[in-house]
Each structure stands twice: as structure tokens, then as C-alpha cells.
Amino acid sequence: MTTRAPGDTLRIGIAGFGKIARDQHVPAIAGCERTTLAAVADPAGGLDGTPSFASLDDMLREADIDAVAVCTPPQIRHDVALAALAAGKHVLLEKPPGATLGEVDILSRTAERAGLTLFATWHSRHAPGVEPARAWIAGRKLRAVRVTWKEDVRRWHPGQAWIFEPGGLGVFDPGINAFSILTRILPAPLRVTEATFRTPENRTAPIAADVRFAAADGVVVDAALDFRQEGPQTWEIDVEADDGRLVLSAGGAELAIDGGAISLPPEGEYADIYTRFADLVATGQSDVDPTPFGLVADAFLMARTETVDAFHDPAEAGKR
């Protein structure tokens, strides 16, 4: 393992080069003065102008990298991250940090024993409206919280059948973003009290879900999640307090208080993530918060399941 000084550039290899890696990780790494993209590993192909490898093993063996950003489907993140740690590399995990809570615990313990940084990212916590929302909520008496998180899976995950397989989370792949915000802005811990899943007859994971949480301070939180929304997409958290109302929308990029829009800086979720990663590596720390993932796991434990019509994605047929 190479020790990095605070001013050193962190050389990163991306494992798994799909949509999220191309759309978010590549530009964020390029835009951060303290990171550089040094390699890509994916059997389906890499990035022009960047050393690219057909396998993780080849990248770990041949590339000049300090860290690995794991952007594979969650079902294989544990094995990829474990191999990177074994090779002496720091690891950044896309959300969710694995397929199970047990996997995350193993990775956390392994990184600690090796003296390496492990960063389980929650990109939605870095949305510009999250911290102002947290500050407004602090000290207020809350009445109710409502989450509406509805998007079109065909638009955001075209042809990605893994998302409906065991470990893929189904609608909780985006829904966990809402839970990551809730666990940041609300002052009291949450527990799942009820859940209803709607699972297509030809899939394993839910395409829609309703979840109710109870906070330790008595506040009830209701979440409605749906992967079938067409037209405008909805990512909203509505907080009602005794003395006002806050609405965090567009996934945390927009904030309104008592109906008035609050001025916010531009979005920079992944840029913040890579700055944070560089800080963690430079100071020899890790950041692994499994709380949002635990809420998803509890929802699966508490859920009543309803079978709904089969779901078909034309983009999957194109991959066969």
C-alpha cells in the first residue's frame, strides 16, 4: 500500500463501467483536483484514452492505481471490493454498498485490519438542499413526513435486469437515496413498522412499495416508491412542522420553505464524494454508514407482497 500525503493526486481505477460510471464518476473524477482516472476494468469495454482492462485482476495487477471505485451491480460488489482491499487499494463503493448488510460488515472489518480507506457513498446526501433542510428541521416539532420517490426504470436502468434479481433491490435502488436523505436530515432514528411490496409476476424484487417508519420522537414517516412512473419524475420529501412546511424536491436539488423557493448552489454530488474520498485517504480514515441499507433490509423483513402484472423492458431483449 502506498501512503498518500494530503496534496497527492489519488489515482483511481473504476471497476464496472456502466451508465453510472460514465455519467457521474468519470466527470467527477476529472473535475476534482485531487483525483485522476488511471484505469477502467470492465469485460464489455473501457474508455478511450484511459488504460482499460477486461478484468479486475488485470487492472489490479497492471494498472498504476491507489484506489478502486466499485460501480458494478451490487450482487458482486463485495467480491470486487474484497479483491481490491487484498491488493492494498483503498475502496469507494457506489450505493448500495453491497447485496447484504453482512457483506458491508466484512468489508469494513477487512479495511480496518489492512489500514485502508473504505468509503460507502450515499450520493443523495450531497445534494445541495440536504444540509439546509437539516438545519431548518433541527429543533422543530415535526408532525409528519411524506416521501414520494417515483421514476421510470426503463429510463434510468435500461436493460439492467439485475436490478430485479435477488440483491438488486428493485425499486429500493432509487428508494434508498430517499432513505439516505431521511437519515441525514431527521434528528431521531427510524424503524420500519409496515411495508407493502408490489412485485411483478415475472420478477423477484418489487417494482413499487409503500413503507411506513416510526421515528424515536414519535414522528410517522410514509414513503411511496414506484419504478413505473412515466413523464415527469418525482423525488420529493415533504416535512410538516408545527410552524411551517419544508419540501425537498428533485432528489434534494430544490428546496422550498412555506412555499418559497430557497436559493441553492448548483448540484455537485459526485464531485463532493470524490473530494471526501481524497480527504479520507489522506487522513487514514473510513466512512461506512449502513443505516439507509438497514432500513431497506428491515422493509424486506416486514413486507407483505402483492403480485402485479409482469414487467417487460424492451432494452433487455436487445441484450440477449
Side-chain angles (χ1 to χ4, degrees), residues 52-224:
S52 300
F53 302 89
S55 73
L56 173 70
D57 288 343
D58 288 344
M59 183 175 76
L60 292 174
R61 184 174 57 252
E62 300 177 25
D64 183 17
I65 58 174
D66 308 301
V68 175
V70 183
C71 301
T72 66
Q75 292 94 331
I76 62 172
R77 279 185 192 150
H78 169 266
D79 290 350
V80 171
L82 202 62
L85 291 170
K89 312 302 180 184
H90 307 288
V91 171
L92 179 150
L93 297 168
E94 246 296 347
K95 62 85 191 166
T100 68
L101 285 166
E103 290 183 350
V104 180
D105 182 61
I106 289 170
L107 293 177
S108 184
R109 293 172 185 269
T110 301
E112 183 177 7
R113 286 195 301 268
L116 293 164
T117 291
L118 179 67
F119 183 22
T121 64
W122 301 109
H123 68 82
S124 290
R125 285 184 175 176
H126 297 265
V130 171
E131 289 308 308
R134 183 170 183 259
W136 185 88
I137 289 168
R140 279 184 160 84
K141 176 66 175 175
L142 303 186
R143 292 179 179 175
V145 179
R146 292 172 292 277
V147 176
T148 307
W149 222 258
K150 299 181 178 182
E151 64 179 60
D152 185 353
V153 65
R154 295 183 182 94
R155 173 177 172 184
W156 300 102
H157 297 279
Q160 297 177 27
W162 60 262
I163 209 163
F164 288 110
E165 295 296 325
L169 301 188
V171 74
F172 287 92
D173 179 83
I176 202 171
N177 293 331
F179 297 176
S180 74
I181 295 174
L182 287 175
T183 52
R184 178 61 185 166
I185 66 176
L186 297 182
L190 298 173
R191 65 184 179 91
V192 177
T193 59
E194 301 176 33
T196 301
F197 288 3
R198 296 170 188 85
T199 303
E201 61 184 9
N202 62 335
R203 305 286 176 163
T204 300
I207 199 166
D210 294 320
V211 184
R212 172 163 285 189
F213 305 91
D217 57 7
V219 177
V220 173
V221 180
D222 285 309

Side-chain angles (χ1 to χ4, degrees), residues 201-293:
E201 61 184 9
N202 62 335
R203 305 286 176 163
T204 300
I207 199 166
D210 294 320
V211 184
R212 172 163 285 189
F213 305 91
D217 57 7
V219 177
V220 173
V221 180
D222 285 309
L225 317 175
D226 205 317
F227 239 166
R228 302 167 295 186
Q229 175 122 323
E230 298 179 3
Q233 309 288 276
T234 307
W235 304 291
E236 183 174 284
I237 297 175
D238 188 326
V239 180
E240 182 183 352
D242 279 349
D243 62 347
R245 180 186 177 198
L246 176 147
V247 178
L248 195 59
S249 55
E254 298 175 3
L255 177 65
I257 296 175
D258 295 330
I262 304 300
S263 178
L264 297 172
E267 291 186 70
E269 295 179 9
Y270 281 86
D272 286 351
I273 282 173
Y274 277 98
T275 298
R276 172 68 172 155
F277 189 37
D279 286 342
L280 290 169
V281 172
T283 56
Q285 300 179 78
S286 288
D287 183 353
V288 182
D289 177 12
T291 309
F293 199 18

Side-chain angles (χ1 to χ4, degrees), residues 24-44:
Q24 300 292 347
H25 289 261
V26 169
I29 292 169
C32 179
E33 294 181 354
R34 299 168 61 194
T35 59
T36 187
L37 181 59
V40 169
D42 193 304

